[in-house]
Amino acid sequence: MQLLDRQQALAIAPLWRLGFRPFFLAGTLFALLAVALWAAVLQGLTNPAVPGGLLAWHRHEMPFGFGLAIIAGFLLTAVQNWTGHPGLSGRPLIALFGLWLAARLAWFTSVPLPLLIAMQLAFIGLLIAQMARQLIAARQRNNYPILLVLSLLALCQSLTLAGLALGDDGLQRRGALAALWLIAVMLSLIGGRVIPFFTQRGLGRAEAFAAHPWQDRLLLACGVLVAALFASGHNLQARPWLAAPFILLSALHGLRLWRWYLRGIWHVPLLWSLHLAYAWLLLATLGMAAWHLGWLAQPSLASHALAVGAMGGLILAMMARVSLGHTGRALQPPKAMPWAFGLLNLGALIRVTCGGGWLWLAALCWGVAFALFAWHYAPMLCRARVDGHPG
């Protein structure tokens, strides 16, 4: 039976054997093109007509187009390891990916707004259904928080799209920001598992890092609370009492980084990129706390520290590591990838610290970083594993 399953898997074109392959590649290309388009719009070079305007498109597509694509690729691959059952592949994977792609293209076509909205929500709905089917069948209760966060993301997307349908900018902003902080929760959940594991393996450390379940649960609860406060509109106005959950999140993220830190990470690009990206979560929460306390003028600086530094950085670092492992290659990234990691962090720093006149440079750093990944990783994502395994 196992031999038959293996033969069936090998009969599938490599790109469609596991979720990380099409979603990592397409998500990377989308990140490059979407940010380039947004930068061109900000520079007054173009202004294509899309439902609700380009700001509505940008708000929706960065978390729900780019972010959700990479999350889908990672989860659809990881669930195979968690449950011991094959992940989505072949025609079902092609269909799910096709829906994601169609939803991205629909913004620039003349499809009716209700159909556009239905396409956006259908993708996350099917992703949740697939993850729930596999996790519940395997009784993977420790991974149920993943389903919770995905379901809350779907509600945030619904809020954002309701704002689009009603022409309500406030609803769109609330939904998009709540989604961004829920993605921070997802990054915390996944990062809390893989960063210490990858660090242990990457440095040949015999002893595993100690688990701290109470800290994980507190990060989850506090992160969901923060997202709920954005969705309700409370976090859109500076209020000193709302600094408290962000201060708590800062302390928890800082404690994690301190516990995971080993000096040897700076010699391993696949490690320092993860740790540095996770540190942007700490900076983002500190920034929001500072804004609520009146010490920071704009909350968007903290939001972009999260979106560019943490989300972009962890996505790039995770894709670089996961793609190597799941294609049977040595855990040595192409020589250009340390430059890609550095450029992405430089872009985040420019976006957060420099004025609007420098946004083009931040976008350029982002674009080159993801272009380097696409250039070097596209061949391995589109080919079979070097050992012939169907992964």
Side-chain angles (χ1 to χ4, degrees), residues 136-263:
I136 293 172
R139 298 183 180 180
Q140 283 276 318
R141 293 183 176 85
N142 60 315
N143 286 311
Y144 286 180
I146 299 287
L147 297 179
L148 170 65
V149 177
L150 284 176
S151 300
L152 293 175
L153 270 172
L155 291 176
C156 289
Q157 188 175 23
S158 300
L159 184 64
T160 305
L161 292 170
L164 176 67
L166 296 172
D168 189 327
D169 183 77
L171 278 181
Q172 292 180 53
R173 188 170 174 229
R174 284 160 53 185
L177 286 172
L180 183 60
W181 284 92
L182 280 173
I183 289 175
V185 175
M186 187 71 78
L187 295 175
S188 175
L189 279 170
I190 296 172
R193 298 179 184 186
V194 303
I195 295 177
F197 176 73
F198 289 166
T199 301
Q200 177 196 354
R201 288 293 185 88
L203 297 180
R205 174 185 164 111
E207 182 183 358
F209 288 90
H212 297 277
W214 66 269
Q215 183 179 343
D216 299 340
R217 296 189 191 101
L218 194 54
L219 273 166
L220 174 63
C222 197
V224 169
L225 172 62
V226 160
L229 289 169
F230 273 107
S232 66
H234 288 83
N235 259 327
L236 301 184
Q237 299 293 327
R239 297 179 174 90
W241 67 274
L242 285 175
F246 290 105
I247 292 172
L248 178 57
L249 282 172
S250 301
L252 293 171
H253 288 313
L255 185 59
R256 270 186 163 181
L257 284 168
W258 176 72
R259 284 173 171 159
W260 297 339
Y261 180 74
L262 295 171
R263 285 184 294 178

Side-chain angles (χ1 to χ4, degrees), residues 32-386:
L32 196 166
L33 295 173
V35 170
L37 175 59
W38 181 239
V41 170
L42 293 179
Q43 296 297 316
L45 301 177
T46 186
N47 189 28
V50 297
L54 263 296
L55 178 58
W57 170 82
H58 177 68
R59 279 177 177 165
H60 181 275
E61 290 298 274
M62 292 316 292
F64 301 116
F66 165 58
L68 195 57
I70 307 302
I71 289 170
F74 178 86
L75 292 179
L76 291 172
T77 302
V79 74
Q80 178 170 274
N81 296 331
W82 296 341
T83 64
H85 297 288
L88 201 67
S89 64
R91 290 180 181 176
L93 178 58
I94 293 172
L96 184 63
F97 173 79
L99 178 59
W100 174 86
L101 182 59
R104 309 286 68 77
L105 296 174
W107 285 88
F108 300 94
T109 65
S110 57
V111 302
L113 185 58
L115 178 58
L116 171 72
I117 291 173
M119 293 170 69
Q120 311 304 320
L121 294 177
F123 174 74
I124 193 170
L126 289 174
L127 174 62
I128 293 170
Q130 173 64 20
M131 291 297 299
R133 183 182 69 82
Q134 290 194 254
L135 292 176
I136 293 172
R139 298 183 180 180
Q140 283 276 318
R141 293 183 176 85
N142 60 315
N143 286 311
Y144 286 180
I146 299 287
L147 297 179
L148 170 65
V149 177
L150 284 176
S151 300
L152 293 175
L153 270 172
L155 291 176
C156 289
Q157 188 175 23
S158 300
L159 184 64
T160 305
L161 292 170
L164 176 67
L166 296 172
D168 189 327
D169 183 77
L171 278 181
Q172 292 180 53
R173 188 170 174 229
R174 284 160 53 185
L177 286 172
L180 183 60
W181 284 92
L182 280 173
I183 289 175
V185 175
M186 187 71 78
L187 295 175
S188 175
L189 279 170
I190 296 172
R193 298 179 184 186
V194 303
I195 295 177
F197 176 73
F198 289 166
T199 301
Q200 177 196 354
R201 288 293 185 88
L203 297 180
R205 174 185 164 111
E207 182 183 358
F209 288 90
H212 297 277
W214 66 269
Q215 183 179 343
D216 299 340
R217 296 189 191 101
L218 194 54
L219 273 166
L220 174 63
C222 197
V224 169
L225 172 62
V226 160
L229 289 169
F230 273 107
S232 66
H234 288 83
N235 259 327
L236 301 184
Q237 299 293 327
R239 297 179 174 90
W241 67 274
L242 285 175
F246 290 105
I247 292 172
L248 178 57
L249 282 172
S250 301
L252 293 171
H253 288 313
L255 185 59
R256 270 186 163 181
L257 284 168
W258 176 72
R259 284 173 171 159
W260 297 339
Y261 180 74
L262 295 171
R263 285 184 294 178
I265 65 171
W266 301 110
H267 300 290
V268 184
L270 289 178
L271 295 182
W272 63 252
S273 56
L274 286 167
H275 286 257
L276 200 56
Y278 196 91
W280 282 101
L281 278 177
L282 170 61
L283 293 176
T285 51
L286 284 173
M288 283 302 302
W291 176 67
H292 277 300
L293 292 172
W295 302 342
L296 187 68
Q298 299 179 26
S300 67
L301 300 180
S303 298
H304 283 92
L306 174 55
V308 183
M311 184 177 79
L314 277 169
I315 280 175
L316 188 64
M318 283 290 297
M319 289 195 304
R321 171 60 168 78
V322 169
S323 298
L324 291 172
H326 279 282
T327 55
R329 288 163 172 82
L331 298 178
Q332 294 294 333
K335 293 182 179 179
M337 285 311 296
W339 290 98
F341 300 144
L343 280 170
L344 191 137
N345 281 279
L346 176 61
L349 187 63
I350 292 171
R351 180 62 185 87
V352 171
T353 61
C354 298
W358 293 93
L359 293 182
W360 66 270
L361 184 56
L364 180 63
C365 290
W366 171 284
V368 173
F370 280 99
L372 287 171
F373 175 88
W375 178 263
H376 288 282
Y377 279 80
M380 70 177 75
L381 292 172
C382 294
R383 295 175 186 164
R385 279 179 59 157
V386 294

